[in-house]
């Protein structure tokens, strides 16, 4: 089937892009891997009424407008061909004159001893389980990592009756005040902090979870910080150091990328969310992590641009303001470099069983100078997840070993996945 | 290690060929500096399967050096650690009696190559399709992890390795780089697919894709390829040719090739080519149908018009030696190339006839 616009991803950005394009009479396909629209931000259960969700009214309105869109849940994209043909697992193809990539982001992880224990999950996974299935990951859950996302995760768990012994934040977010954030965003953070206080959840800054302990399942974590180390008992740990944008489809489509302020590889976009490839637009976290409100604005802009509409100045200004705030957050939550404090024996790449030490040795002994070299020599990031979990950490190790900052090329070596999802050879052979 | 002074030899290229040159030059007592604009194995070496084949070589000069290189690899396998050298043998399969007869005739001409005719290929590979006509087993064929092999050759060589240094031009007695001028007694151009541009020799890219599956229990024991592969390797056509080549790796993934296209340095993934590769693989190994592909990558083979490598001194530039143009056989031919270059630079006698590989064979006299 051929459409005017094919949108990939039905989170805030993709929903906004698809519904905006449809409003101007274009035929629009909206492809999303999940079973319900909303992305990670509005992940919900079938009978959800919106309680505990933010901006649910916005979501409900977007969902109502999906009647004008060919919305295809459960669509797993594994290849994008020029021109543009989007290939789904199962053999279906969607051709579009314009392509909007709103593929979002996933948790950024940095390994530590015990990170592979059952009960240790990413902050995003904990949130997804709670929002998507109403299931808290434990009864006593430490929330750790860095970034504003830890606050809603902890607050959500507490509301569900979970005991949260502490939120462990690596950065020192008092730095918020040094930027010039829009007031609404600060109020949002303040509201979450008030919720934590109400549930008597301590918010510990400049500290990291340096190890998880347990025999067969996590039973405690070690927290390290300026005052030394402390062990906190728990039955689960939700940990995340910000997000990694999902850029592989954009890279496969040939889009130019850049390094963002938070150290992530993101898609380079101009006004109207246009990428370096004519006809391809990108919106939301894939252009730089900035939250749902920014994603909505970018999605609208992409929808307008993809249908040849003028771009309202107010919308462009709003995007600039939200981007500035995102840049402040990125600066504030810039975590201390993990490469200097990681344990050598920790398994970095769980798919291929590659340790931190193996990557360090490849730099010292085997002539590895970049991310790609580390993959070739050690198999780090070569397994089932294709470096989604370990890529950021592996790049840090290699860059530190080479005495430089992580480069765009390092991240490209891990973010380049022309086969975006594993696909059977029978299906490919068809 | 040579930290200071003028090295006896500067080798341009830290792929497997450059690494082998550094290894044999160092063993001959020369001081060596290896330069690469990227890291070790960053070019075609890092995009290959690590083939060390004699089975696919028709009688002729390439087969002669391939047999010598095969011996050298076996010795290196004993001397170097962690290169994952597997003496597993190659199985060529045929799909018709005509093909089988042609293969038999081909093998009978391969002097020095051990080949055993196979009537039931499933004795060797239980998961092969039941309707194949037959095949030929080549016990000398091997596989190595090429990136690690290059790295370990360099380590063992003790050469000074300078990475991230781009050579911009070669002059008698020195190379000009983005990090300054480096003087050298001799210069070896082992720049792989970029050797043509750098050393003014006719080396061009021939693109290939490889599919990589998720980890599997041992489904494919040998290197297995269709008899049509030899024709594809030897072909002079610019357009796409594919021929199934399937092998397991020590890491458990299965590698699926092969495609050949002369499309310059076009890096775009071509879905039609990937589909042909997958189709070829499941035709030979139906068991692979439900196995998942997790990755695909491309590389550029450095090929020459007569499909023979360029090995030897360049008569136009005193002190310049070429070690390039190995097409898809660079891993297999790396040790003999390094050895021959070392022999030439040190003036040691060799019993290999180098004339088929000499750089000036392409020169047109005006």
């Amino acid at each position: 089937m051929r459409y005017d616009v094919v949108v990939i991803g039905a989170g805030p950005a993709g929903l906004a892009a698809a519904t905006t394009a449809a409003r101007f009479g274009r035929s629009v396909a909206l492809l999303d891997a999940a079973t319900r629209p909303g992305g990670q931000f509005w992940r919900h259960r079938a009978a959800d009424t919106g309680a505990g969700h933010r901006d649910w009214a916005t979501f409900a309105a977007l969902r109502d407008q999906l009647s004008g869109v060919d919305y295809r849940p459960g669509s797993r994209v594994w290849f994008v061909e020029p021109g543009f043909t989007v290939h789904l697992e199962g053999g279906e193809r969607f051709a579009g004159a314009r392509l909007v990539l709103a593929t979002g982001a996933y948790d950024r992880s940095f390994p530590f001893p015990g990170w592979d224990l059952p009960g240790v999950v990413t902050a995003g996974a904990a949130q997804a389980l709670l929002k998507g299935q109403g299931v808290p990951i434990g009864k006593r859950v430490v929330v750790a990592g860095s970034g504003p996302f830890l606050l809603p995760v902890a607050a959500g768990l507490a509301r569900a009756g979970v005991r949260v012994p502490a939120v462990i934040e690596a950065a020192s977010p008092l730095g918020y005040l040094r930027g010039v954030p829009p007031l609404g965003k600060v109020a949002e953070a303040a509201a979450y902090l008030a919720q934590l206080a109400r549930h008597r959840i301590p918010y510990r800054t400049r500290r990291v979870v340096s190890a998880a302990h347990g025999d067969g399942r996590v039973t405690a974590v070690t927290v390290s910080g300026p005052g030394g180390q402390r062990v906190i008992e728990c039955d689960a740990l939700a940990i995340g150091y910000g997000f990694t944008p999902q850029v592989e489809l954009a890279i496969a489509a040939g889009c130019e990328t850049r390094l963002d302020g938070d150290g992530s590889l993101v898609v380079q976009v101009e006004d109207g969310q246009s990428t370096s490839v004519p006809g391809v637009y990108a919106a939301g976290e894939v252009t730089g992590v900035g939250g749902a409100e920014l994603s909505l604005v970018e999605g609208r802009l992409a929808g307008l641009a993809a249908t040849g509409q003028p771009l309202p100045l107010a919308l462009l200004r709003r995007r600039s303001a939200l981007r500035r705030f995102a840049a402040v957050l990125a600066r504030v939550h810039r975590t201390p470099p993990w490469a200097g404090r990681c344990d050598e024996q920790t398994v970095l790449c769980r798919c291929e069983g590659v340790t931190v030490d193996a990557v360090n040795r490849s730099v010292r002994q085997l002539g590895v100078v970049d991310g790609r070299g580390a993959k070739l020599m050690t198999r780090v990031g070569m397994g089932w997840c294709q470096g989604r979990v370990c890529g950021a950490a592996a790049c840090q190790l290699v860059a530190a070993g080479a005495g430089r900052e992580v480069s765009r090329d390092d991240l490209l070596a891990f973010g380049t996945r022309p086969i975006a999802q594993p696909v059977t050879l029978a299906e490919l052979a068809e | 290690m040579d930290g200071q002074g003028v090295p006896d030899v500067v080798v341009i290229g830290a792929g497997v060929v450059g690494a082998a040159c550094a290894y044999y030059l160092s063993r001959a007592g020369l001081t060596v500096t290896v330069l690469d604009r990227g890291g070790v194995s960053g070019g075609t070496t890092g995009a290959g399967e690590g083939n060390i084949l004699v089975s696919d070589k028709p009688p002729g000069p390439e087969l002669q050096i391939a047999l010598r290189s095969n011996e050298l690899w076996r010795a290196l396998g004993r001397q170097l650690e962690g290169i994952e050298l597997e003496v597993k043998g190659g199985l060529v399969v045929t799909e018709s009696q005509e093909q089988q007869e042609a293969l038999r005739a081909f093998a009978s001409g391969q002097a020095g190559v051990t080949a055993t005719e196979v009537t039931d290929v499933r004795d060797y590979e239980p998961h092969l399709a039941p309707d194949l006509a037959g095949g030929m087993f080549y016990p000398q064929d091997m596989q190595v992890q090429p990136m690690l092999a290059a790295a370990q050759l360099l380590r063992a060589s003790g050469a000074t390795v300078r990475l991230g240094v781009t050579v911009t031009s070669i002059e008698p007695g020195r190379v000009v780089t983005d990090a300054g001028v480096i003087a050298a007694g001799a210069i070896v151009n082992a720049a792989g697919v970029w050797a043509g541009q750098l050393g003014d020799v006719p080396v061009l890219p021939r693109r290939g894709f490889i599919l990589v599956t998720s980890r599997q229990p041992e489904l494919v024991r040998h290197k297995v390829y269709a008899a049509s592969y030899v024709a594809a390797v030897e072909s002079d056509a610019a357009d796409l040719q594919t021929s199934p080549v399937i092998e397991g790796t020590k890491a458990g993934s299965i590698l699926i090739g092969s495609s050949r296209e002369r499309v310059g340095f076009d890096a775009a993934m071509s879905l039609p080519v990937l589909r042909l590769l997958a189709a070829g693989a499941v035709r030979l190994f139906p068991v692979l149908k439900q196995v998942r592909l997790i990755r695909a990558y491309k590389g550029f083979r450095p090929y020459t018009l007569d499909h023979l490598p360029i090995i030897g001194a360049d008569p136009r530039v005193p002190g310049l030696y070429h070690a390039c143009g190995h097409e898809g056989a660079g891993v297999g031919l790396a040790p003999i190339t390094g050895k021959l270059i070392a022999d030439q630079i040190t003036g040691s006698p060799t019993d290999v006839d180098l004339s088929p590989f000499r750089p000036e064979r392409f020169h047109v006299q005006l």
Side-chain angles (χ1 to χ4, degrees), chain B residues 163-181:
Chain B
L163 303 170
V165 175
T166 304
V167 175
T168 51
S169 71
I170 298 171
E171 296 169 5
R174 59 185 216 162
V175 293
V176 181
T177 78
D178 60 354
V181 172

Side-chain angles (χ1 to χ4, degrees), chain B:
Chain B
M1 300 284 276
D2 176 355
Q4 296 99 38
V6 175
D8 295 324
V9 186
V10 161
V11 176
I12 306 166
V16 70
V17 172
C21 289
Y23 179 83
Y24 289 102
L25 285 163
S26 296
R27 290 205 346 162
L30 301 178
T31 56
V32 181
T33 293
V34 179
L35 308 176
D36 198 289
R37 63 176 188 169
V40 171
S41 301
T44 310
T45 300
E49 300 147 293
N51 288 327
I52 302 170
L53 302 186
V54 295
S55 57
D56 65 337
K57 311 278 188 289
E62 192 187 3
L63 176 59
Q64 283 182 351
I65 60 170
L67 285 163
R68 297 287 291 268
S69 216
N70 194 282
E71 294 296 321
L72 292 174
W73 266 123
R74 282 164 200 266
L76 290 170
R78 292 187 291 272
Q79 287 151 19
L80 302 176
E81 272 178 43
I83 65 171
E84 298 180 13
L85 182 78
E86 289 185 90
V87 186
K88 59 182 180 182
L91 182 68
V92 184
V93 298
T94 57
E95 297 183 73
S96 68
Q97 276 314 316
E98 296 75 54
Q99 267 192 1
Q100 184 68 18
E101 277 155 33
L103 179 62
R104 192 183 301 134
F106 178 76
S108 69
Q110 291 174 301
V113 175
T114 308
T116 309
E117 182 151 4
V118 178
T119 45
D120 189 352
V121 288
R122 303 219 283 180
D123 291 344
Y124 285 81
E125 291 287 348
H127 297 290
L128 273 169
D131 56 351
L132 293 166
M136 198 69 76
F137 182 67
Y138 289 88
Q140 288 152 299
D141 283 356
M142 303 188 287
Q143 190 181 16
V144 72
Q145 208 280 25
M147 297 76 93
L148 289 174
Q152 297 297 358
L153 280 166
L154 281 176
R155 276 189 88 189
S157 77
T160 300
V161 181
R162 294 183 59 186
L163 303 170
V165 175
T166 304
V167 175
T168 51
S169 71
I170 298 171
E171 296 169 5
R174 59 185 216 162
V175 293
V176 181
T177 78
D178 60 354
V181 172
I182 300 171
I187 298 157
V188 177
N189 175 19
V193 81
W194 298 281
Q197 223 177 321
L198 197 59
D200 189 22
V201 279
V203 175
L204 296 163
R206 200 177 187 192
R207 187 173 73 177
F209 293 110
I210 292 176
L211 311 180
V212 186
T213 72
S214 61
R215 287 181 166 201
Q216 300 299 319
E218 195 179 57
L219 293 177
V220 183
R221 297 172 183 178
H222 308 92
K223 180 189 177 74
V224 179
Y225 64 90
S228 60
Y229 175 75
V230 175
V233 172
E234 295 298 312
S235 162
D236 289 321
D239 55 339
L240 171 70
Q241 290 155 72
T242 63
S243 178
V245 178
I246 298 109
E247 63 200 305
T249 63
K250 277 208 168 164
S253 49
I254 294 169
L255 307 181
I256 296 166
S258 64
S259 67
R260 290 176 144 74
E261 289 167 280
R262 280 155 49 181
V263 289
F265 283 105
D266 181 358
M269 276 284 156
S270 162
L271 189 56
V273 179
L274 303 187
R275 288 195 187 285
L276 286 170
L277 295 183
V282 300
R283 189 172 78 237
L284 293 192
F285 285 96
V287 68
L288 293 178
K289 277 183 185 166
Q290 291 317 308
V291 168
R292 283 183 186 264
L293 166 76
I294 59 170
R295 210 149 60 75
Y297 61 92
K298 56 116 216 318
F300 297 100
R301 304 176 184 87
Y303 93 96
T304 65
L305 290 173
D306 59 6
H307 302 285
L308 292 177
I310 302 172
I311 304 170
D314 189 323
R316 302 164 299 178
V317 184
L320 171 62
Y321 295 79
H322 297 289
C324 55
H326 294 75
E327 195 162 343
V331 175
L333 299 179
I336 188 64
T337 303
K339 180 84 170 58
L340 291 171
I341 290 287
D343 287 346
Q344 282 205 312
I345 292 179
T346 57
S348 307
T350 174
D351 57 352
V352 175
D353 174 14
L354 280 164
S355 60
F357 312 113
R358 68 194 196 287
E360 62 267 34
R361 70 186 189 271
F362 300 108
H363 294 171
V364 179
Q365 298 296 323
L366 295 176

